[in-house]
């Protein structure tokens, strides 16, 4: 009991609930955006040869901007070659995925093939400023660094096939001939009629429609979209078997069980897969439909190959492009899917068509 005449100190007034709520809202307003921003940001790439990064095991050449491209040479020695070909690999691939030209044909025709890791794949440095044009200029600089001469042949598969259009746009003066194999198409290219683009668009699985839509409209969200676990992301990245045609199911073991697969994404998926998507499906300032014949004098040809049963890249865009570009030699393979370049003997057929003008046998 307090002594007589001594007053007790007043109790502190309880904080108003409104003030607490305001403080909580303020804290959340600061914390949540920072948390969301952190989740959306891809981790920094693990650059090959850098501290903590993967080792450099292959042969590389340095570009003018300081980046390195890893490459692989096959076929006959370069100084003995009659035909020099640069091969541009597709999505989730690397320099080891060069077109499997038979050693017999390479020797017979004198073929030298140069394949390389596209930026961010395997052992090539990422290009944070990558565009549809920059990869074409990389191809040209690679050819110069390897001293391939004033002109060379070019082949590209899948996402690498789409890059062929960029090379025809930006470095056509360096090309002796081009083979475009099962190329990815951009549904937003100008000049594509809505019925054509919508038909191709609707051939995709629902999760791929979303993944591609995000890559085009919200590229800053691409990393999060393809790394979150709330709902399905790209089925191509996940190797969904629903994307395989009957022929692809027979061919896929050649592709799916590559011993070097861990190397392909070793610098981080954002630097290779996700950047491929934001560039390939991004906002281009031009369209392949605007291109003119780079070989109007008859000194070379552009060949476009596509499997009619392709469930990964809809054939309808290639059909339309070949109709509107009469200078393109179009080869549609009625029973083939996306992986046709790996079918037995197909690589030799493609190469002989490009170099010699041979017509493939009718199915």
């Amino acid at each position: 009991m307090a002594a007589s005449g001594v007053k007790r100190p007043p109790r502190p007034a309880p904080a108003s609930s409104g003030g607490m709520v305001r403080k909580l809202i303020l804290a959340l307003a600061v914390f949540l955006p920072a948390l969301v921003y952190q989740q959306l940001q891809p981790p920094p790439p693990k650059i090959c040869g850098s501290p903590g990064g993967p080792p450099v095991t292959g042969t590389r050449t340095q570009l003018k901007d300081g980046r390195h491209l890893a490459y692989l040479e096959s076929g006959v020695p370069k100084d003995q070659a009659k035909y020099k070909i640069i091969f541009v690999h597709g999505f989730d691939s690397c320099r080891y995925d060069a077109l499997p030209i038979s050693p017999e044909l390479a020797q017979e025709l004198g073929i030298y093939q140069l394949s390389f890791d596209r930026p961010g794949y395997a052992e090539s440095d990422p290009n944070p400023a990558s565009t549809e044009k920059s990869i074409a200029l990389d191809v040209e600089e690679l050819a110069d660094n390897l001293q391939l001469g004033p002109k060379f042949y070019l082949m590209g598969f899948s996402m690498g096939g789409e890059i062929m259009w960029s090379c025809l746009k930006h470095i056509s003066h360096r090309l002796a001939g081009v083979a475009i194999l099962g190329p990815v198409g951009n549904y937003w290219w100008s000049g594509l009629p809505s019925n054509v683009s919508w038909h191709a668009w609707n051939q995709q699985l629902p999760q791929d429609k979303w993944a591609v839509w995000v890559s085009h409209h919200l590229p800053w969200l691409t990393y999060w979209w393809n790394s979150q676990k709330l709902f399905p992301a790209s089925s191509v990245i996940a190797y969904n078997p629903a994307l395989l045609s009957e022929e692809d199911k027979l061919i896929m073991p050649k592709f799916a069980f590559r011993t070097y697969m861990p190397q392909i994404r070793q610098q981080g998926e954002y630097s290779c897969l996700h950047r491929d998507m934001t560039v390939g499906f991004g906002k281009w300032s031009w369209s392949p439909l605007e291109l003119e014949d780079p070989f109007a004098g008859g000194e070379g040809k552009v060949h476009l190959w596509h499997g009619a049963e392709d469930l990964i890249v809809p054939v309808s865009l290639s059909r339309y492009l070949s109709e509107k570009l009469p200078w393109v030699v179009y080869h549609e393979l009625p029973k083939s899917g996306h992986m046709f370049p790996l079918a037995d003997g197909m690589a030799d057929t493609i190469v002989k068509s490009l170099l010699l003008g041979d017509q493939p046998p009718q199915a």
Side-chain angles (χ1 to χ4, degrees):
M1 181 179 295
S4 177
V6 179
K7 295 182 177 180
R8 295 184 180 186
R11 294 178 181 176
S16 68
S17 59
M20 292 293 292
V21 170
R22 283 194 295 272
K23 290 181 180 178
L24 179 60
I25 291 174
L26 180 62
L28 290 175
V30 173
F31 175 73
L32 285 181
L35 180 62
V36 170
Y37 178 80
Q38 184 180 25
Q39 292 296 317
L40 297 181
Q41 297 305 300
K46 300 176 181 178
I47 307 295
C48 288
S50 67
V56 175
T57 63
T59 306
R60 306 203 302 176
T61 185
Q62 189 169 23
L63 305 180
K64 294 175 184 177
D65 63 5
R67 289 182 295 117
H68 296 84
L69 293 181
Y71 64 89
L72 180 70
E73 299 171 289
S74 59
V76 303
K78 180 172 53 182
D79 58 357
Q80 300 175 21
K82 181 178 180 181
Y83 301 104
K84 297 171 185 176
I85 301 173
I86 296 181
F87 180 81
V88 183
H89 68 74
F91 192 73
D92 205 10
S93 302
C94 69
R95 65 190 185 277
Y96 295 119
D97 294 305
L99 195 69
I101 304 169
S102 70
E104 294 78 14
L105 184 67
Q107 289 294 328
E108 177 188 344
L109 298 185
I111 299 170
Y112 162 89
Q113 183 178 194
L114 173 65
S115 57
F116 68 102
D117 296 334
R118 291 196 284 112
Y121 280 101
E123 295 187 26
S124 285
D125 296 336
N127 182 1
S130 181
T131 66
E132 57 78 22
K133 182 178 182 179
S134 66
I135 183 61
L137 300 182
D138 283 353
V139 169
E140 182 177 32
E141 192 170 351
L142 175 68
D144 289 339
N145 285 6
L146 273 290
Q147 300 180 338
L148 298 194
K151 286 185 179 287
F152 49 87
Y153 290 87
L154 199 56
M155 299 186 297
F157 172 50
S158 193
M159 192 66 81
E162 185 187 47
I163 290 169
M164 298 299 95
W165 300 118
S166 295
C167 292
L168 286 166
K169 167 75 172 177
H170 300 295
I171 62 168
S172 61
H173 60 288
R174 301 297 304 275
L175 306 179
V178 178
I180 308 172
L181 314 177
V184 168
N186 188 314
Y187 304 97
W188 295 271
W189 277 332
S190 60
L192 282 177
S194 59
N195 64 313
V196 173
S197 56
W198 271 109
H199 179 268
W201 176 263
N202 287 320
Q203 303 305 303
Q204 303 177 98
L205 295 178
Q207 62 261 43
D208 292 327
K209 293 180 184 179
W210 278 107
V212 170
W213 188 92
V214 167
S215 299
H216 181 80
H217 293 286
L218 304 171
W220 50 270
L221 196 60
T222 302
Y223 165 74
W224 178 84
W225 189 271
N226 289 287
S227 58
Q228 52 74 37
K229 306 300 180 185
L230 300 176
F231 39 80
S234 168
S235 63
V236 180
I237 292 177
Y239 283 81
N240 188 333
L243 295 174
L244 300 179
S245 71
E246 291 305 312
E247 184 181 275
D248 283 346
K249 290 176 184 177
L250 300 176
I251 297 173
M252 197 60 183
K254 297 181 180 180
F255 188 77
F257 302 107
R258 298 165 291 169
T259 57
Y260 48 85
M261 281 186 71
Q263 272 195 29
I264 293 174
R265 306 182 188 183
Q266 66 184 351
Q267 298 186 83
E269 291 189 8
Y270 178 77
S271 297
C272 51
L273 306 184
H274 303 160
R275 187 164 281 133
D276 246 6
M277 296 175 71
T278 57
V279 173
F281 298 117
K283 298 178 181 179
W284 292 32
S285 62
W286 61 278
S287 166
L289 289 163
E290 302 167 7
L291 294 174
E292 297 182 354
D293 186 357
F295 307 118
E299 65 276 19
K301 290 290 184 182
V302 176
H303 293 261
L304 172 57
W305 298 74
H306 215 122
E309 300 298 320
D310 194 332
L311 302 180
I312 297 176
V313 177
V315 68
S316 50
L317 292 186
S318 285
R319 284 176 181 163
Y320 186 79
L321 286 167
S322 68
E323 291 171 2
K324 295 301 178 181
L325 302 175
W327 42 270
V328 169
V329 182
Y330 184 52
H331 311 267
E332 186 167 309
L333 306 173
K335 298 180 181 179
S336 296
H338 190 63
M339 307 304 295
F340 69 87
L342 300 182
D344 291 344
M346 195 64 214
D348 285 5
T349 298
I350 292 168
V351 168
K352 286 190 287 186
S353 178
L354 175 66
L355 303 181
L356 307 178
D358 288 3
Q359 292 299 313
Q362 297 298 312

